[in-house]
Amino acid sequence: MNSKSFTSKCVTFQEVDGVVMVGFADDEFNTNQYVLLQRTLQPDEHDRSLGWDIVHLQVDSPDQSGYDSIKNIRVTLSGIRIELTSEALSVFNCSDVDIAFDIDGDRYSDLLAQLKHVVDECTPLTV
């Protein structure tokens, strides 16, 4: 299957109302390509029963999103590679997403901290 790749000019991360989010976009205002990872920090029983207690991934559109889609995440100072599960291929139409970015060391450290916060025990994160 094919790989999706783009350069992110906007790297963002935040925690709002108990949801931690990490996002990458090709442009801050005129976004065409993006990736959003998010996870509820304190899921309730309802969330757990629906499988909403793990990482949610969205790529370019709400139509290309889902839970339990990530096989592995690899991060370097110059980018991130998100490998998708074989079950996710039909939703995302790709086997992995490669995102290049250019951020300084302090921002990179903050990004890593947020990524470690957003991933769950089922999502391997390689640095």
Side-chain angles (χ1 to χ4, degrees):
M1 197 73 175
N2 61 344
S3 215
K4 175 180 178 48
S5 62
F6 68 94
T7 298
S8 176
K9 294 180 183 174
C10 180
V11 177
T12 185
F13 36 87
Q14 62 184 334
E15 185 180 322
V16 177
D17 297 329
V19 177
V20 63
M21 297 174 268
V22 176
F24 305 91
D26 62 346
D27 190 85
E28 185 174 0
F29 301 107
N30 295 313
T31 304
N32 291 310
Q33 297 180 302
Y34 70 90
V35 167
L36 177 63
L37 300 133
Q38 58 188 18
R39 183 171 67 90
T40 301
L41 295 176
Q42 296 183 339
D44 59 24
E45 281 303 313
H46 181 257
D47 291 337
R48 283 195 262 308
S49 71
L50 294 172
W52 295 349
D53 57 333
I54 56 178
V55 179
H56 182 266
L57 174 68
Q58 187 173 108
V59 179
D60 295 342
S61 162
D63 294 335
Q64 292 186 14
S65 67
Y67 292 90
D68 201 21
S69 304
I70 301 170
K71 182 177 178 180
N72 185 41
I73 299 174
R74 284 187 268 163
V75 188
T76 66
L77 189 55
S78 61
I80 184 169
R81 180 183 182 99
I82 303 169
E83 295 178 54
L84 304 178
T85 63
S86 57
E87 296 82 14
L89 293 176
S90 63
V91 174
F92 295 96
N93 298 315
C94 63
S95 57
D96 49 68
V97 181
D98 288 303
I99 306 165
F101 53 71
D102 183 18
I103 57 178
D104 66 34
D106 288 339
R107 185 122 169 101
Y108 177 73
S109 295
D110 292 343
L111 172 62
L112 284 180
Q114 281 298 95
L115 279 169
K116 288 176 183 175
H117 216 74
V118 80
V119 296
D120 55 71
E121 61 279 352
C122 299
T123 307
L125 176 65
T126 307
V127 179

